[in-house]
Amino acid sequence: MSYAILAASLRSAMQRRDQEAIERLIAEMQPADLAEFVQHEHTDTVLSLLQHLPLDQRAVAFGYLSVALQEELAATLTDRKLGELLQHMNADERADLFKLLDEDRQQALLHTMPRAEQENLRKLSSYEEGTAGAIMTSDYVAIPAYYDVTRALATVRDTGTHAETVYQLYCIDTDGRLLGTVSLRELILADPDSQVAELMTEEVVFVTADTAQEEVARLVARYDLLALPVINGGERLVGIVTYDDAMDVAEEEATEDMHKGMSIGKIEGGLRSASLYELYRKRVVWLVLLVFANIFSGAGIAYFEETIEAYIALVFFLPLLVDSGGNAGSQAATLMVRGMATGDVRSRDWAKLLGREVTVAIGLGLTMALAVSVVGIFRAGTEIAMVVAMSMVAIVIIGSLIGMILPFLLQRFGVDPATASAPLVTSIADASGVLIYFAIATAVLGLPV
């Protein structure tokens, strides 16, 4: 049964207070779907629905909830119940939830856990946010390289129950240093008396615990990995980052870049759960700054008042021209920022890309100039049409170059290129477009400056 049908049926059962139907429908739902269903319910309702799941499934569903809702639910649970939930969660999700709690609550929860799990939780929660250590899990299968295949498979059976993946196994030495990897398929098909060291691949893609999470996501995508091993300074294997966690990072980074691209700050917890004040605060700063940036456009218009008075028809084409420059610049900036984010574009490529952008911008400008010149002839005559056409070519070229160069400049000064947002590029291109348009008009029409 599809999620839409299950959700509608569950909603109906809740309205009827039919506990038997509620329990049956929740049992049919995937944990991720149940988490989506309860995301905007009252805390008491969420707890009541989650109680219908076995503890292990409840822990899985809990991991899919938003950070804000997890924090609310954790505050209502007793230390014993929260401790039980933590012990059944994946290691990385457990560490994320643990870090949301205050220090007193953390200490109380640690006392409810076995010593080995306490140490593991402390270690995972100690890594800095935004690093591989903060998103890795310790639920993996490691096999000493000197084991034979029979013993290695026995290790997989013993330790693989709670591992996030058993398809890729990690080979270590007696000190826990990463030596290589071997797939489960290779082990199953190998001679039982063969040594793991004979089967393993020694060329391993790995990261250190302090590697930026964006780099982790890039490597997982580039090499099509199910999981990426994480080592510490002594080359000891300390965890793995699974594909699904890496893709969560990629989605988060893409969302953050998109927000920056529209001059919006990072919204914690998602749009639907954000408060009105947070939405206001994340948007107001850049909008106010861009108001003052747009003053330059007004100053340009004021400077060419005499030109405008002599040829009032010029005003008709002003929005069309400056918007074209801003649009061309936004397109160029979007291409550059995305290229930088994916690694397709590097700083050293700027000269080559500059030449290509100029060529493309000339073609775009000429095409748009041809289209607008027809309007110019019918609206204001040949002379004005020529001014508009020349201005269109120049404005599109300049706007495109602003959009292309600005991300490189920001990166050069250590600022995130995504800050070269559409509003910022548009504001700069608008001011430039006004000056270019009226300067060309003044020169072509023979007016005094």
Side-chain angles (χ1 to χ4, degrees), residues 118-443:
Q118 288 183 30
E119 293 305 315
N120 180 263
L121 183 54
R122 281 197 181 100
K123 182 189 298 182
L124 287 179
S125 60
S126 66
Y127 292 104
E128 185 179 351
E129 285 298 320
T131 64
I135 58 172
M136 74 180 184
T137 178
S138 57
D139 295 335
Y140 59 89
V141 179
I143 302 173
Y146 60 84
Y147 277 14
D148 61 24
V149 169
T150 301
R151 192 175 178 186
L153 287 173
T155 301
V156 174
R157 295 188 193 97
D158 292 340
T159 63
T161 306
H162 301 293
E164 296 232 5
T165 177
V166 295
Y167 301 111
Q168 195 72 17
L169 311 170
Y170 301 93
C171 308
I172 57 174
D173 64 13
T174 53
D175 293 321
R177 286 191 290 265
L178 179 65
L179 299 179
T181 63
V182 62
S183 70
L184 181 60
R185 178 181 178 179
E186 289 173 314
L187 276 187
I188 293 172
L189 297 177
D191 185 329
D193 296 323
S194 299
Q195 230 182 23
V196 172
E198 299 171 9
L199 304 172
M200 71 181 186
T201 300
E202 296 183 26
E203 297 296 326
V204 183
V205 179
F206 62 87
V207 293
T208 58
D210 59 357
T211 300
Q213 62 181 22
E214 298 94 325
E215 177 65 10
V216 173
R218 189 185 68 81
L219 290 173
V220 169
R222 178 174 180 176
Y223 295 105
D224 292 326
L225 301 174
L226 289 175
L228 182 65
V230 182
I231 64 172
N232 64 10
E235 297 185 358
R236 294 182 70 250
L237 182 63
V238 292
I240 62 170
V241 178
T242 54
Y243 179 87
D244 56 326
D245 288 328
M247 292 306 97
D248 287 343
V249 169
E251 180 184 359
E252 181 184 334
E253 292 301 322
T255 301
E256 186 176 342
D257 284 348
M258 187 177 295
H259 286 170
K260 285 181 179 177
M262 292 306 297
S263 300
I264 301 171
K266 183 179 180 181
I267 299 175
E268 300 291 347
L271 180 60
R272 287 192 294 184
S273 60
S275 67
L276 293 176
Y277 175 69
E278 184 180 10
L279 291 174
Y280 164 81
R281 184 169 57 88
K282 295 297 184 180
R283 297 170 64 181
V284 68
V285 175
W286 267 104
L287 287 177
V288 171
L289 290 175
L290 293 173
V291 164
F292 290 101
N294 287 326
I295 289 176
F296 290 104
S297 297
I301 293 172
Y303 182 79
F304 289 102
E305 281 183 355
E306 292 183 7
T307 301
I308 296 171
E309 288 176 3
Y311 291 89
I312 195 67
L314 293 170
V315 176
F316 175 82
F317 298 96
L318 180 59
L320 181 152
L321 290 168
V322 296
D323 283 353
S324 297
N327 292 338
S330 295
Q331 286 183 339
T334 300
L335 290 173
M336 292 305 113
V337 170
R338 189 57 187 161
M340 288 177 170
T342 60
D344 186 41
V345 174
R346 295 183 174 85
S347 297
R348 64 173 180 266
D349 299 326
W350 75 271
K352 177 182 177 182
L353 292 172
L354 179 63
R356 294 179 62 182
E357 186 62 31
V358 169
T359 303
V360 171
I362 290 173
L364 293 172
L366 289 172
T367 304
M368 296 167 74
L370 181 63
V372 78
S373 62
V374 176
V375 179
I377 290 171
F378 284 101
R379 175 71 186 183
T382 306
E383 208 172 20
I384 297 296
M386 183 171 64
V387 169
V388 172
M390 292 172 62
S391 299
M392 178 64 81
V393 175
I395 288 171
V396 169
I397 292 173
I398 296 300
S400 297
L401 292 181
I402 290 170
M404 180 251 161
I405 293 172
L406 193 56
F408 286 105
L409 288 176
L410 292 173
Q411 187 180 59
R412 177 69 179 82
F413 291 105
V415 180
D416 190 338
T419 310
S421 60
L424 178 59
V425 169
T426 300
S427 296
I428 298 173
D430 283 355
S432 302
V434 168
L435 296 175
I436 292 169
Y437 178 38
F438 287 121
I440 290 175
T442 302

